[in-house]
Amino acid sequence: VYLIQQPLAAAIGVDLPIGTPTGNMIICLGAGSTQAAVLAMYGIVTAETRRAGGMGLDEAIVAYVRKKYGLIIGALTAEQVKIRIGSAVQLEEEQTMELQGQDQVTGLPKPVTLTTGEVVEAMQEPLADFVETARRVLEKTPPELVSDIIDRGVALTGGGALLRGIDRLLTKELGIPAYRVDNPVSCTAEGAAKGLGM
């Protein structure tokens, strides 16, 4: 059995030049955790893991709908809201979605229409945690590697990278260009497979 760290596998899966002495940064936005790491010479220079990820966004939507509308919805419904109209930043074109839930007072079914703006508002706290994790990694990174990362940008992987505007949010908050990779969901598995042949 060979163990490989997730950020390393993801970086190999997206063909980042991690075998060089220059710095590469990757953020893995998974369902249950967020990992940010700076890599060089096939190793992790600095890294941080937070036990919160995409499911934290779903929980924030559930809590928001309950607090604002007195409506109980499940995590699956919240995930559908996030996928269909969710965004990490306000969009120029507001989208809406009608959802059914259970009124927490009467216990009866009740429909509610949510907007993208409300979903952005609901997810502020977990999104701020994503940013903070990345920021702490950058603070611990040697300055010469940070300058490499500024030139190359930050690679976003994992299912959370599919959230609209997450690249724009991280670019704005970190002051470094962030971009979604072409294969965010499968890159870790692809990198682990490639790693066996290295």
Side-chain angles (χ1 to χ4, degrees), residues 9-101:
I12 294 167
V14 296
D15 294 323
L16 285 183
I18 58 169
T20 65
T22 52
N24 298 273
M25 185 168 181
I26 193 159
I27 302 175
C28 304
L29 301 164
S33 67
T34 301
Q35 291 184 300
V38 173
L39 311 157
M41 299 301 288
Y42 292 113
I44 292 176
V45 181
T46 54
E48 186 102 16
T49 300
R50 197 183 201 100
R51 292 269 160 241
M55 289 190 293
L57 298 174
D58 301 340
E59 287 161 15
I61 294 167
V62 170
Y64 179 89
V65 171
R66 181 183 282 228
K67 188 176 175 188
K68 184 167 182 179
Y69 294 104
L71 193 73
I72 301 164
I73 62 167
L76 244 139
T77 304
E79 187 182 22
Q80 284 304 311
V81 168
K82 178 182 74 182
I83 292 166
R84 283 180 51 191
I85 65 166
S87 176
V89 293
Q90 295 291 352
L91 299 177
E92 286 175 24
E93 199 178 309
E94 190 88 311
Q95 294 177 313
T96 60
M97 178 177 168
E98 188 174 284
L99 55 139
Q100 294 282 345

Side-chain angles (χ1 to χ4, degrees), residues 93-138:
E93 199 178 309
E94 190 88 311
Q95 294 177 313
T96 60
M97 178 177 168
E98 188 174 284
L99 55 139
Q100 294 282 345
Q102 183 184 25
D103 189 301
Q104 64 180 16
V105 177
T106 66
L108 298 172
K110 177 175 145 187
V112 159
T113 301
L114 275 189
T115 66
T116 300
E118 288 176 305
V119 181
V120 173
E121 188 185 328
M123 298 190 300
Q124 282 308 295
E125 200 175 305
L127 287 172
D129 286 346
F130 292 173
V131 172
E132 191 51 39
T133 303
R135 194 175 277 143
R136 278 209 300 274
V137 168
L138 283 167

